[in-house]
Amino acid sequence: MSTRTPPVSEGAPALVPAPPSAPTRPRSAPPPGARAVVAAVLVALAGTALLNAPPPATARTAPESAAGPESAAGPESAAGPESAAGPESAAGPESATTRSLTPSGSTAPDPTAADPNSADSTAPDSTAPDSTSADSTAPDSTAPDSTSADSTTPGSTTPGSTTPDLLAAPVHFAGKAFDTCEAPSLTVMKAWLASPYGAVGIYFGGRGRGCPVQKELTPSWVASAHAMGWRLLPLFVGSQAPCVDSLAKRKYAIGSTPVTQGTKEGGDAVRAAKALGIGTSSPLYLDIEAYQRGDTNCAATTLSFVRAWNREVRRLGYLPGFYSSADTGVRDMETQRRAGTKDLPEAMWFARWRGQPALLTESVLQPQAWTPHARIHQYAGNVTETYGGRTLAIDRNAMDAPVARVTAPARFAARVPVPLSFVASQRP
């Protein structure tokens, strides 16, 4: 209903001049019809003013929406300048997909409506570390050698919840490494800083370990060795091929359900790694000792076990690696790679004891196989070396491959009396 007042001049009496015969009256006394004429003029003027007056605010049809001039989705929306879908959105860059922009001149939705998918309805804690916003990424999550507890503290990953988008980049090391059956003491590790080695293999889990009692291998040891500058290669010695060469390993043979067994032991490996402070994106190397060539049933069982182990380890946010003899396990994995088989290891650690490294020229591997940054060659075994007055029996390795990401070293390493001069090691 219009609030405009129609003109009133159409019904006003006309101004008629007085007849010439009308008697003349003094100036102080107006003629009899003067009051009526003045009233008519005032009414006409009032009608004209009302006709030209703007309508009340309730009848405006300007481009602003019903929610008000600032409610349209633009740089300064009703929810505040930070809520607009832009680089500085309160919900982060991803929030642009949750807001519908209102075309100019149309009615915007009620900004007070509770729309759970709207950027305006984002809870105050939407920028917490578990948000998908780019702002939620921990500062060190993309650093190649991060040691911050913000990235992946031990036990923080729920099985099945980790996605590749939330994982940090793997850490790689290129150089010489050694492995030995039992983790050496921190005193020995300190003395061996004078050696040419920069990484060490640790047998952190599995029922088939040759040295199951690892009295030195604790979260404190892992954190302190890493703080000294050592890079760690976690090895898991679980169930073995049914036709394994070593008589001592046959009691650990893979059973009749290799997929179920591989999945279970993959979960065991991740739990053991986390307990030591080895974070997600770390490689876990499955140790499958040499087995008889030509036994197709044994090879098939072993492959099923390894693939199931790989799937579970990968699902839980870690990198499945593989250690074996170049002539058996490694050869079979390369055959499967050429055939396009899925769920194979992401890093290959092959043993061929020829005394000299041949990292990129191993005969059973095609040149492009497991490259770049995914090979370790164990080129000598059961050798004895001494550095800093400390002697160890080791296997020698040359590598360019992933190493462990050690989480939250500060709270563990502080309990171990390691000189500060070694914590500041410049080793790669």
Side-chain angles (χ1 to χ4, degrees):
M1 175 177 172
S2 176
T3 59
R4 290 192 175 116
T5 304
V8 296
S9 59
E10 294 179 359
L15 300 181
V16 181
S21 59
T24 303
R25 292 185 180 271
R27 296 180 61 88
S28 59
R35 292 182 180 179
V37 172
V38 172
V41 171
L42 292 175
V43 171
L45 292 175
T48 302
L50 289 174
L51 180 64
N52 295 328
T58 56
R60 295 181 68 177
T61 56
E64 288 85 2
S65 68
E70 297 297 334
S71 66
E76 302 289 338
S77 74
E82 296 298 325
S83 68
E88 299 296 332
S89 169
E94 296 297 329
S95 66
T97 60
T98 65
R99 177 186 291 275
S100 297
L101 298 180
T102 305
S104 176
S106 66
T107 302
D110 183 358
T112 62
D115 180 5
N117 295 321
S118 170
D120 294 338
S121 65
T122 304
D125 62 350
S126 64
T127 56
D130 61 346
S131 169
T132 56
S133 165
D135 294 338
S136 67
T137 305
D140 60 350
S141 64
T142 57
D145 193 19
S146 168
T147 57
S148 171
D150 293 339
S151 54
T152 47
T153 53
S156 64
T157 304
T158 302
S161 66
T162 303
T163 60
D165 292 339
L166 301 179
L167 298 179
V171 180
H172 298 100
F173 174 80
K176 290 187 175 182
F178 75 92
D179 62 277
T180 186
C181 188
E182 186 174 350
S185 69
L186 288 173
T187 302
V188 173
M189 296 302 294
K190 181 174 65 174
W192 272 54
L193 288 171
S195 76
Y197 302 105
V200 56
I202 53 172
Y203 292 88
F204 75 97
R207 69 190 189 108
R209 283 185 295 179
C211 297
V213 179
Q214 299 274 341
K215 61 181 182 294
E216 299 287 346
L217 194 53
T218 64
S220 295
W221 187 96
V222 169
S224 297
H226 186 267
M228 288 182 193
W230 290 103
R231 296 301 168 251
L232 309 180
L233 297 167
L235 282 150
F236 184 87
V237 191
S239 296
Q240 297 295 302
C243 56
V244 62
D245 289 342
S246 171
L247 294 178
K249 300 293 186 185
R250 289 189 181 177
K251 60 182 177 181
Y252 306 117
I254 300 166
S256 59
T257 56
V259 173
T260 301
Q261 197 169 353
T263 302
K264 177 186 179 301
E265 293 191 28
D268 293 343
V270 168
R271 284 187 289 274
K274 286 182 178 180
L276 289 173
I278 297 172
T280 54
S281 297
S282 295
L284 305 181
Y285 292 92
L286 176 62
D287 184 329
I288 296 291
E289 294 294 311
Y291 54 86
Q292 297 173 18
R293 290 181 61 181
D295 189 331
T296 56
N297 290 335
C298 177
T301 297
T302 305
L303 177 63
S304 295
F305 173 86
V306 172
R307 293 179 66 201
W309 192 91
N310 291 346
R311 281 193 298 271
E312 186 66 2
V313 167
R314 187 180 286 113
R315 184 182 76 85
L316 298 177
Y318 288 73
L319 302 179
F322 184 74
Y323 166 91
S324 191
S325 166
D327 284 331
T328 54
V330 174
R331 182 186 297 272
D332 288 344
M333 289 297 154
E334 170 66 357
T335 299
Q336 296 300 320
R337 186 196 67 81
R338 296 182 189 185
T341 302
K342 297 181 179 179
D343 301 321
L344 296 182
E346 294 191 18
M348 184 61 66
W349 189 341
F350 56 95
R352 189 183 293 282
W353 294 357
R354 289 183 172 173
Q356 295 296 325
L359 190 62
L360 300 178
T361 57
E362 168 53 44
S363 59
V364 304
L365 297 175
Q366 288 187 342
Q368 75 275 15
W370 282 283
T371 57
H373 313 306
R375 285 192 184 191
I376 305 175
H377 180 198
Q378 188 182 85
Y379 61 91
N382 296 328
V383 298
T384 300
E385 297 188 26
T386 302
Y387 296 98
R390 303 288 179 164
T391 302
L392 290 175
I394 65 168
D395 299 330
R396 296 169 178 165
N397 303 271
M399 65 174 291
D400 181 5
V403 292
R405 292 183 64 252
V406 176
T407 59
R411 71 169 183 263
F412 291 125
R415 302 175 188 173
V416 182
V418 178
L420 293 178
S421 59
F422 293 102
V423 174
S425 172
Q426 297 300 313
R427 282 180 173 269

